[in-house]
Structures are given as structure tokens and as C-alpha cells.
Amino acid sequence: MSKSFRQSQSFLHTWSGMLLGWILFLVFVTGTIAFWREGMNRWMRPELARVEQPMQVLAATQRFLASKAPDAKSWFITMPTGRAPGAQTFWIPAEKKGEAPRRGRRGRRGDTQALIGADGQVATARETRGGEFFYRFHFDLHYMPVIWARWLVGIASMMMLVAILSGIVTHKKIFRDFFTLRRHKGQRSWLDGHNATAVLALPFHLMITYTGIVTLMALLMPWAVVANYTDQTKVAAHLFPAAAEVERTGRPAPLMPLTRIVADAEGRLGAPVGYIEVANPGDAAARVTVGQSPSSALSTRTPRLAYNGVSGRVVWRSPDPGGASLTAGVMVGLHAGRFADTMMRWIYFLCGVAGTLMVASGLVLWTVKRREKLPDPARPHLGFRIVDGLNVAVIGGFPFGIACFLWANRLLPVAMRGRAEWEVHSLFIAWGLALVLTLVASRRIAWTGLLAATGALLIALPVYDALATRHGLLTSLIAGDFMMAGIDTTLLVFGLGFLGVARRTALHRPTVRAARRQRAAAAVADPVLEPAE
């Protein structure tokens, strides 16, 4: 090799980050928002009050289920917390003899669901995907088969890991350059910004990329399972052991108050409970399984307890996970950040913002660097125009779509049929309009228009909330509801940021280097003198 090892990594760094860079941008944006998934679930249901007494909400949930589905096959309840909008519950009706199993949404059998609010009543909030949309989009994308999406995200994540490692090798002065930020220097300024956002959260970028690949390991690298399990259905039993199922006896028996079982379980586990599953409620064979909340431990493989639902006696405890299972649980826990308190979540969030800027600046840097090398920067070739246009459509268009998605949550009729789906549709409709703008307008107009529109929409949201909802910024601060106040404040900050970038973009006037002008003039005068690139 004529080049040094460091120089040889430049090509790898450039193209591993470039080929699926737009997918990585989408993954980083939605993953960063998903760190506040519970808060977004509340924010997108402004009718709901904050949960102050979780045990009272749980008791009300049990009363609701006992009257609504007393003979169900099972109940499932997520434990209400101050972060969540209430107790989310669904139940699976008992299967009647001779009746084929009914398949419900996401593979559940004929399930129905409800949300019990802070007042103990069934919440009549607007239908929305809430923060769950960003969480699922982060690895499932949308409008495409889940397996295809996860393969695409997995491959993009592996390329991201290669780009990070090769970038560390390529930029030998990367840590020194972190403290250097030269403004109005064209390509040099973009490289300084790219280096700064990369180094600022480098440990986070390495961790979040590697652990993201680990979450998809069974899909990307299934060979260990294939080699060790002839019956692959046993894998889940080994990774997620559960108590033996019990059959309904047909003898009615009152179910013990779930609040007492949860209080006992939290004493035994030494941590809060995250979910409750009740099998055969109202029967003598009722069984209650509780799982420790993932927010209380680094690993997502948290212990579980099973109780006799009538006597309240512990009948089963999950075995301690093995080394491999515990390692996987810790990796997934690090990636999801569910263990994090408020301060740590902000660190995750800000590092995610840095990662988003790192990817975006890298994509823009590709065009900035190559535009200066074009024989005629005003008339670039087709490949350059495609990359440049995709940068505008994705980096400028996707945040605009998210802003429209949030506004759809506020403006679509509450009783609208398929409302949650149309919130999502509005994001992609707006994103499609951004793509059209990119095709018909100049790059300056497209960049400036999309950034300015996104900033204006984000700033207007807290204003609308203060006028039309019960969770305005000032109201939330007075009530001590810092989750809702934090979301509105973040929207204001990001809105101002987008407007600031739009202003800089509108005022920017690219400079043509003297050497480039001279070479261009020489090429026009005598094409033979045109230098080889």
C-alpha cells in the first residue's frame, strides 16, 4: 500500500458513513426523542393529569378489570408512575370451546385495552401513538416489513461502528481539533463542527452503536441459536424463564388486592414493580406475576415473582440469569437507558443530539468538500446533485415532518377515526412535500425554508399549549410538573436553534477560492491545461 494505514482509513470512514448515512440520521433523531418516550406519551395526551398516587390508580385498575373482564384468560397492567400517563392495561378474553383463537393487534389474541388515568377512571384521551412512535421507528422504521427494517437498521449500525473506529484512526488530531472551531471557513468549519460533535460524546457514540447491534444480534447473527437448539422455541424459555401455566378450575374465588401483592413484591425485590400479569382472574387457580421495573436496574433482564392470586403466597421466583443472559440484558439496558434518572436521561439526550449533528455534519461535509473540487461548482454532476438533494430532503425535511406530526396531534379532531395513524401519515406527507420543495427550488431556498418552517412550528407549539391545553409551560412550572415543562422548553430551544440556522443559511454567501477561479479560467482558455482531479 502506497498510503499509510491512517490515510487508508479515510476512504473507509467516508463511505461507511455515507452510504446509509440518511438512515443513520433518522435512527439517531427518533432514538434521541425516544429517551423521553414516557414524557412524550403524556405530552401527546394533554387531557390527562399527572399520576400522584400510583397505588390508588392500580386499585382502580383492578376494579375496572373485575367488572369489565371478570372471566378473562389474563390481564396485563403496566404499573402507573409519575412519568406515565396512567396504568395501561389489556386483557385477553377466555377462549370458548369450539371457537378458533382470535388474533388481535401485534399478535395478541382478541385483546382489548384501556388506559386508567390519575383519577382512577378510564381515560378518554385522544388516540395517539405518542412517544411509542419514535421508539418503534428507531428500529422498525415505517411502511415496510419489520424484518426488512431491522436488517436495514442493523447494517446501518454496523457501518456506523466502522465509521466511528476508522474516524478515530483517520483524524490523528481529532482531540486537539475538538477545541478548535473556525467560523466562516467553509469546508474547514464543517470539519471542525463534525470533529467537535464526534469527540464530545465519543464514548456514548461507541456504546450506543455497539449495544444497538447487540439488541439485533439474534437477527443479524443467528448461528449460535441454530447450532445449539434443534427446537428453537426453547430459546425463549431459556432466556426468559416463566412459571408453569395453570388451568382454570371453574371454581370462583376472589382475587387478592393487587396493591398488597405489589407492596410485598417490592419489599422482596428491593425495587419498584414495572408490570403485573394476572392469569385466570376470579378463579381458584388465579396466579399473579410481577416483574421488577427496568428503570430500577441496569439490566433489562429483571427478576420476577409469581403469587397465588387467592392466598397471596409466593409460588415461584425467576432463577438468576446466566452470564451471557445478564450481559445481553446489560447491553440492552445501556442502549435503552431505562435505568437512568432525570439527570442521566438528559445526558443521554444531549449525547444523542450530538450524534445527530455528527451524522448530519458528516453528510453535509461530503458535499462541501467535493463541491470545491468540481470543475464547475455551479453545474455539478448528477451523483453530486442526488446526494446534495437527499441531504436537504432528509436533514431538513425529516425534522419538518416531526414538527407537523406534533401539530397533527394537537389539531386533528379528537374523535377522528384512525386518528393515531393519521398523525403518522401527516409526518410522511409533510416529509414528501419537503422532497418536492427540494426538487423544484434552489438549495438555498429549500434549506432556509425547511429550517425556518421547522423552527416556527416548534416555537408555536408551547404557545398553543399555553392557550388551548391544561399543560402550558407556566402552568406546568407552577404545578411542579417538570416533565411537561421540560418538553415545552426543549421545543422552544430547538425552535430557536432551527431559526438561527435558517438565518445563517439565508445570509451565507459561498466564496470561490482564487486558485479555483484561476484554474477554471485557464481551462476555458486552453482545455489542455485543466488539472486532473
Side-chain angles (χ1 to χ4, degrees):
M1 295 174 63
S2 60
K3 296 182 178 180
S4 67
F5 174 71
R6 184 185 65 81
Q7 291 173 324
S8 69
Q9 297 301 296
S10 177
F11 178 87
L12 183 61
H13 175 72
T14 298
W15 290 102
S16 61
M18 182 68 197
L19 292 177
L20 290 178
W22 301 288
I23 297 295
L24 288 171
F25 179 80
L26 304 182
V27 168
F28 258 99
V29 170
T30 52
T32 300
I33 298 174
F35 287 132
W36 298 106
R37 175 173 56 161
E38 298 89 348
M40 291 301 297
N41 286 339
R42 283 192 57 211
W43 186 87
M44 297 183 75
R45 296 181 179 94
E47 302 88 353
L48 301 180
R50 180 175 54 173
V51 174
E52 302 284 357
Q53 301 292 335
M55 286 298 190
Q56 293 183 10
V57 177
L58 176 59
T61 304
Q62 182 176 356
R63 291 193 297 270
F64 166 78
L65 289 170
S67 62
K68 184 71 175 180
D71 57 349
K73 182 179 180 180
S74 63
W75 302 340
F76 187 92
I77 306 168
T78 57
M79 189 65 190
T81 65
R83 288 178 176 174
Q88 185 69 50
T89 180
F90 71 85
W91 58 97
I92 301 177
E95 296 174 4
K96 298 179 180 179
K97 292 183 179 180
E99 183 181 20
R102 292 171 294 174
R103 295 290 177 182
R105 228 174 7 178
R106 297 181 186 176
R108 300 185 186 125
R109 294 183 174 183
D111 62 312
T112 51
Q113 55 187 337
L115 177 67
I116 309 301
D119 58 357
Q121 303 298 318
V122 177
T124 56
R126 64 191 66 193
E127 183 187 359
T128 179
R129 293 278 300 278
E132 302 300 323
F133 167 75
F134 298 105
Y135 172 70
R136 301 298 303 189
F137 188 97
H138 173 63
F139 54 90
D140 282 351
L141 302 180
H142 204 70
Y143 297 137
M144 66 186 305
V146 170
I147 297 299
W148 294 6
R150 294 187 182 184
W151 268 107
L152 188 59
V153 171
I155 294 172
S157 299
M158 288 188 282
M159 296 180 70
M160 177 70 176
L161 186 61
V162 172
I164 293 174
L165 295 175
S166 58
I168 294 173
V169 175
T170 300
H171 299 289
K172 63 179 180 179
K173 299 179 181 179
I174 188 171
F175 291 101
R176 189 190 74 177
D177 289 346
F178 169 66
F179 299 99
T180 304
L181 188 59
R182 284 155 284 198
R183 304 175 61 189
H184 309 296
K185 297 295 183 180
Q187 175 186 335
R188 184 71 253 181
S189 298
W190 279 107
L191 183 59
D192 287 345
H194 183 66
N195 289 343
T197 53
V199 177
L200 178 66
L202 180 58
F204 174 84
H205 299 329
L206 285 168
M207 179 276 292
I208 209 70
T209 304
Y210 180 73
T211 55
I213 296 172
V214 170
T215 64
L216 299 172
M217 61 183 178
L219 174 68
L220 302 177
M221 295 176 288
W223 309 289
V225 174
V226 173
N228 290 279
Y229 292 89
T230 55
D231 183 3
Q232 297 186 20
T233 60
K234 294 182 179 179
V235 178
H238 287 173
L239 292 177
F240 308 101
E245 293 187 6
V246 291
E247 297 292 334
R248 181 177 288 272
T249 65
R251 290 183 284 109
L255 183 68
M256 175 170 281
L258 295 179
T259 53
R260 290 177 55 185
I261 292 178
V262 167
D264 181 81
E266 289 181 344
R268 294 176 185 271
L269 296 172
V273 166
Y275 70 88
I276 307 155
E277 185 174 5
V278 182
N280 304 319
D283 189 80
R287 176 171 292 174
V288 180
T289 303
V290 297
Q292 181 178 319
S293 172
S295 64
S296 62
L298 181 57
S299 173
T300 56
R301 308 285 171 85
T302 53
R304 287 164 293 150
L305 296 172
Y307 289 80
N308 182 300
V310 177
S311 67
R313 179 174 56 88
V314 176
V315 296
W316 178 83
R317 183 185 182 108
S318 60
D320 294 334
S325 180
L326 182 60
T327 301
V330 170
M331 291 291 183
V332 176
L334 281 171
H335 187 82
R338 295 183 186 129
F339 68 94
D341 57 12
T342 301
M343 181 61 69
M344 183 58 70
R345 281 177 183 263
W346 274 111
I347 293 175
Y348 263 72
F349 178 77
L350 293 175
C351 288
V353 172
T356 303
L357 294 175
M358 175 185 67
V359 175
S361 60
L363 292 169
V364 174
L365 180 61
W366 191 94
T367 58
V368 172
K369 184 177 181 180
R370 280 153 183 78
R371 185 184 294 276
E372 294 182 352
K373 296 181 179 181
L374 293 173
D376 185 0
R379 296 173 181 169
H381 54 78
L382 177 61
F384 182 92
R385 294 200 304 271
I386 291 175
V387 173
D388 197 25
L390 284 174
N391 280 346
V392 182
V394 175
I395 300 173
F398 189 65
F400 173 69
I402 291 176
C404 292
F405 168 77
L406 299 178
W407 269 104
N409 172 261
R410 291 297 191 254
L411 299 181
L412 290 178
V414 175
M416 179 179 179
R417 186 174 183 180
R419 188 181 190 282
E421 287 72 19
W422 275 104
E423 285 184 0
V424 178
H425 296 334
S426 67
L427 185 156
F428 288 93
I429 291 172
W431 194 8
L433 293 175
L435 176 61
V436 172
L437 177 64
T438 303
L439 295 175
V440 301
S442 67
R443 292 291 178 263
R444 180 188 301 277
I445 292 175
W447 273 118
T448 304
L450 290 174
L451 293 172
T454 302
L457 289 173
L458 293 179
I459 289 175
L461 276 167
V463 177
Y464 177 88
D465 283 349
L467 298 175
T469 73
R470 59 189 295 178
H471 290 295
L473 177 56
L474 183 60
T475 303
S476 298
L477 288 172
I478 293 174
D481 192 349
F482 299 113
M483 174 73 78
M484 300 295 283
I487 292 176
D488 277 344
T489 303
T490 302
L491 291 174
L492 286 173
V493 170
F494 274 87
L496 291 173
F498 273 101
L499 289 180
V501 176
R503 180 178 180 275
R504 292 294 301 273
T505 303
L507 297 177
H508 176 68
R509 293 294 181 271
T511 57
V512 180
R513 293 183 180 180
R516 171 60 63 185
R517 288 197 299 266
Q518 293 171 2
R519 288 198 298 269
V524 172
D526 187 356
V528 176
L529 298 179
E530 184 177 2
E533 294 291 346

